[in-house]
Amino acid sequence: MSSPASLAKETPICYHLAPDKRLLDAGCAAHGCSHAVPGRFSGPDMPPCLMGVQHHTVIDLGKVRRVAMMVTPQCGGDFKDEAWEALSTIRAILRQQGEPMEVTMQTVFLRSREDVPTAELLFEACYGEKMPLTLFVVQPPCEGRGIAIEAWAVGTTHAKVEHHDEHLVTVEYDGLRWIYASGGSLHREGRTAYDQSFEAFENLQAALRRGGAAFEDVVRTWLYQGCITEEVDGVERYRELNRARTDFFAGIPFDNRPVPTLHRGQAVYPASTGIGTLCHGLITACMALHTKRDDVFLLPLENPLQTSAFDYPKEYSVKSPKFARAMAVRTGEDVTIWISGTASIVNSETVYKGDAVGQTEQTLTNIEKLIAPENFARLGWADAGATLADLAKVHVYVKHATDYEKVRAVCERRLGRLPAIYAVADVCRPDLLVEIEGVAFSRVRKPNSEA
Ligand code: 3EB
């Protein structure tokens, strides 16, 4: 377990890598970084520019503190400057928490494939032995920067974090064991999309096993596929991914999950994001939950406005996409909702074709209805539910960079200013312009209470 002192010991390497002192002084305001700095967070050891933009949410679950961070650097400079600023911001946010924190999983969004090796080096130098499970995804951040980081951290006073290997990190607290696994980034030439996808699922399974879990413990997957809508030999790569996922999932007892659901005997698939990346190949990760507690339950959410993805008609895929619209995890009185990538689909059709604003509105309405108390009640949890105000963070994938401002305006109007990253990515249907995923935290309503 790390103490603040041991965290401080790691930093010199990073400071050494800091290529641009501009980031560390107040001179930032001079070139356009004019973020208001709340007094509590300023101080001699807190660079005003870095602390000015606070894109994080703190979630206290019992004794355990979790922090969700969405960091986009503001100050410019070359790629190393930007990466350094983003990493420093994460470090500074964690230092404010008053207890030692560790990053458990992060997704790093990069503008250019050429920056991946530099990013890998910088991140390894910065995190050392405590490298989180890290995905490097080539999806240009919309704000025009070379990098943006989405990261989860946990307080280590009451949680034990283990960094097993590059593909496996586990976190334990309160009788819960979360397993974060990655399937590697598969770039091999000459592999079909089907083989690549199947191999990624096998890799995830192998990592989960090393972490003491099985694939039927998985609650959430992320699939970043290169050339997602490209046709190879007449078949779209995303369709091949779906075929491989269907075949792989056929061997997983999702109808008999260790963590109870109301749906025994019915397959309960993980929540998921399936989206494009500018890299070739496939980058995958998943999150699993293992527990012996008897007050932990799962509820897969389907959307009253949408056909379930696994019931999509054949025109979209011979083998339908096997994922739930969201997965609600109830631990005692806390309900965490992992919302799948959600798009402007009503029933099974794309709506607001060619209209990014309309698609964003519809997507947010889809999320709102998905997590609403009425939907929870319909699906069997009468005392649970959430609103858009309960979102801790969102990730917004935009197909065309030119739609970014409009999309962001809609998101900010309906969601307020919450931690968000906007990145350019191909959504898996040619007519979809926006996809949004997020995580919401809520508590169950006590009997006899009205709220
Ligand atoms: C959709 O609703 C949009 O293949 O795992 C969203 C979330 C989408 C997950 C996946 C695909 C996936 O069909 C696309």
Side-chain angles (χ1 to χ4, degrees):
M1 220 170 274
S2 74
S3 64
S6 76
L7 280 178
K9 239 191 289 162
E10 284 169 38
T11 46
I13 308 172
C14 279
Y15 282 120
H16 186 69
L17 289 172
D20 190 347
K21 289 288 184 291
R22 193 182 54 192
L23 299 179
L24 302 174
D25 65 41
C28 249
H31 61 268
C33 283
S34 53
H35 326 105
V37 181
R40 181 157 97 79
F41 296 137
S42 55
D45 58 336
M46 294 288 182
C49 177
L50 300 188
M51 298 317 299
V53 191
Q54 294 282 329
H55 291 305
H56 73 285
T57 304
V58 175
I59 305 113
D60 286 311
L61 294 176
K63 283 183 294 193
V64 177
R65 166 164 294 199
R66 316 217 85 197
V67 179
M69 291 170 280
M70 297 299 230
V71 174
T72 302
Q74 303 294 319
C75 286
D78 67 11
F79 178 76
K80 277 192 201 150
D81 292 339
E82 294 185 321
W84 165 247
E85 184 192 332
L87 285 163
S88 304
T89 302
I90 287 178
R91 202 170 278 273
I93 291 168
L94 296 185
R95 287 244 296 267
Q96 290 168 26
Q97 303 306 319
E99 67 165 306
M101 305 285 303
E102 272 183 48
V103 179
T104 53
M105 182 181 179
Q106 61 188 351
T107 309
V108 183
F109 298 92
L110 303 167
R111 178 171 51 211
S112 147
R113 205 186 316 189
E114 281 72 59
D115 289 330
V116 174
T118 312
E120 283 173 346
L121 281 174
L122 265 163
F123 276 67
E124 273 161 28
C126 228
Y127 285 101
E129 300 286 281
K130 292 180 174 162
M131 184 72 170
L133 191 91
T134 304
L135 305 184
F136 292 99
V137 177
V138 184
Q139 282 185 352
C142 290
E143 284 170 55
R145 304 300 177 191
I147 186 169
I149 307 174
E150 168 173 6
W152 275 110
V154 66
T156 53
T157 312
H158 300 286
K160 182 172 145 206
V161 180
E162 287 179 281
H163 302 263
H164 300 258
D165 57 60
E166 198 192 334
H167 303 299
L168 177 66
V169 171
T170 55
V171 183
E172 265 180 274
Y173 56 84
D174 289 349
L176 304 171
R177 183 175 166 81
W178 295 95
I179 301 96
Y180 297 95
S182 74
S185 30
L186 305 173
H187 297 278
R188 240 158 298 160
E189 299 297 331
R191 306 272 283 145
T192 64
Y194 180 95
D195 288 347
Q196 219 167 40
S197 306
F198 202 90
E199 187 179 331
F201 285 112
E202 286 179 327
N203 289 350
L204 289 172
Q205 185 175 44
L208 289 165
R209 285 194 179 134
R210 294 197 300 280
F215 210 96
E216 57 269 27
D217 297 316
V218 172
V219 298
R220 182 76 172 86
T221 63
W222 289 268
L223 313 170
Y224 298 96
Q225 188 181 33
C227 312
I228 188 164
T229 55
E230 189 177 288
E231 288 199 5
V232 181
D233 299 331
V235 196
E236 187 192 52
R237 282 171 54 80
Y238 176 64
R239 289 180 188 229
E240 285 298 273
L241 180 151
N242 279 311
R243 194 161 67 84
R245 172 165 53 185
T246 299
D247 290 349
F248 183 84
F249 281 11
I252 307 297
F254 279 130
D255 55 349
N256 190 19
R257 282 178 174 263
V259 174
T261 70
L262 294 173
H263 302 71
R264 213 164 270 291
Q266 211 174 303
V268 172
Y269 299 117
S272 180
T273 294
I275 193 98
T277 160
L278 291 178
C279 258
H280 282 274
L282 183 63
I283 298 163
T284 53
C286 69
M287 188 184 79
L289 172 62
H290 201 80
T291 184
K292 294 203 166 65
R293 272 169 63 166
D294 59 8
D295 62 344
V296 177
F297 304 91
L298 298 180
L299 184 70
L301 298 177
E302 292 305 317
N303 199 317
L305 301 180
Q306 296 184 304
T307 309
S308 295
F310 45 81
D311 290 332
Y312 276 165
K314 296 256 184 297
E315 62 193 276
Y316 295 107
S317 213
V318 212
K319 299 283 179 77
S320 65
K322 304 290 187 292
F323 67 93
R325 295 295 182 187
M327 185 68 83
V329 182
R330 177 177 188 146
T331 54
E333 293 181 351
D334 293 309
V335 179
T336 303
I337 312 165
W338 298 88
I339 301 160
S340 291
T342 305
S344 180
I345 295 173
V346 172
N347 301 320
S348 54
E349 287 91 52
T350 302
V351 295
Y352 297 106
K353 289 187 185 173
D355 170 6
V357 167
Q359 290 205 6
T360 310
E361 296 276 11
Q362 184 64 50
T363 300
L364 292 173
T365 300
N366 284 349
I367 292 177
E368 195 168 37
K369 297 275 191 257
L370 178 68
I371 65 178
E374 296 73 36
N375 198 38
F376 271 89
R378 175 181 81 101
L379 297 167
W381 288 5
D383 57 352
T387 68
L388 294 180
D390 296 313
L391 288 166
K393 60 170 180 179
V394 289
H395 195 117
V396 183
Y397 304 95
V398 181
K399 175 169 277 169
H400 303 299
T402 45
D403 287 334
Y404 161 58
E405 299 289 346
K406 305 181 247 198
V407 170
R408 197 184 68 177
V410 175
C411 289
E412 288 186 354
R413 177 165 50 73
R414 294 194 51 185
L415 305 176
R417 293 278 286 175
L418 85 170
I421 284 180
Y422 297 80
V424 179
D426 257 345
V427 187
C428 61
R429 286 187 194 181
D431 50 15
L432 287 175
L433 303 172
V434 180
E435 183 170 317
I436 302 178
E437 65 171 77
V439 184
F441 288 88
S442 63
R443 314 206 94 199
V444 297
R445 285 183 303 277
K446 301 261 172 61
N448 306 326
S449 94
E450 287 298 292

